[in-house]
Amino acid sequence: MAQPEWLFPDIPREQADALLSAAPAPDGKFLVRVRAGTAGECILSVIYRGKPTHHLLVFDANGSYTINKRSYGNFRSISEVVNFLRVPNSSWPVPLTTFVSNTALARSGSISSSPKSPQQAPATPQAPPADYSPDKPVQRQGSQPEDGRFQTVMVPKQQQDEAVARQRQAEQQRQQDEAAARQRQAEQQRRQQQQQQEEEQQRQKQQQQQQQ
């Protein structure tokens, strides 16, 4: 399965900041980077209020991903987390919008805001494991059968449907708000026209009285 373009290897935080800050850098611009030496852990890096912010994604003991140690739903994969955060909701401050493509890594080369010592060789970002997939449930240790392979407990996926339903509801609410705003504007224009007509009638009445 092809990796999504927003998924990066274990790049330094400074490099993620540089990639996110490259113009244009609207709020919601994001990328996900694999955290080295951990099973299934990633860092979500996203622009919020004009600055890069970083959030830890961890597969917890309950079998779902948390964001900064907080549960937002039953997410069995990183892709489910990203899909959920793309939809505006009150529990997350900035919806994910455009993403930084991992092809930018090859174009930009080694981006870093901190100089390296001449004695130190530049660190090579570690690529995700060959079998890593953001759509693949994490294999949980602790239920290891005799053949040495880890069992995978699958949970039915419902988060995507819930996200789509919330998006439709938000779109319906937006359309209702726009319709109400148009109605208020039309009412305001009607009142202004009525006021202008009354003022015109008053001026004509005054002119007639002056002529008499």
Side-chain angles (χ1 to χ4, degrees), residues 190-202:
R190 186 189 66 79
R191 291 180 179 179
Q192 290 177 349
Q193 292 176 353
Q194 183 178 0
Q195 183 178 0
Q196 291 174 355
Q197 292 176 354
E198 292 175 353
E199 292 176 352
E200 180 64 23
Q201 292 175 356
Q202 184 67 23

Side-chain angles (χ1 to χ4, degrees), residues 29-146:
K29 182 180 180 182
F30 76 99
L31 62 85
V32 178
R33 48 198 173 98
V34 175
R35 195 179 186 195
T38 58
E41 292 188 11
C42 293
I43 302 293
L44 169 65
S45 301
V46 57
I47 295 290
Y48 177 54
R49 294 183 177 178
K51 297 181 180 180
T53 60
H54 305 273
H55 310 274
L56 180 63
L57 308 180
V58 176
F59 196 76
D60 66 8
N62 296 322
S64 62
Y65 274 96
T66 61
I67 307 174
N68 296 332
K69 298 182 179 181
R70 177 182 174 184
S71 176
Y72 288 79
N74 186 25
F75 306 125
R76 291 288 294 168
S77 69
I78 296 296
S79 289
E80 290 184 11
V81 177
V82 170
N83 290 334
F84 170 77
L85 296 180
R86 285 181 183 274
V87 181
N89 63 83
S90 58
S91 61
W92 183 256
V94 54
L96 303 184
T97 55
T98 184
F99 59 84
V100 180
S101 174
N102 49 29
T103 58
L105 203 60
R107 293 196 305 265
S108 62
S110 179
I111 300 178
S112 177
S113 60
S114 58
K116 296 186 179 295
S117 171
Q119 290 79 14
Q120 294 178 340
T124 301
Q126 298 181 10
D131 61 346
Y132 178 79
S133 170
D135 298 310
K136 179 181 179 182
V138 173
Q139 296 173 333
R140 297 182 57 191
Q141 298 185 7
S143 58
Q144 184 176 10
E146 295 180 356

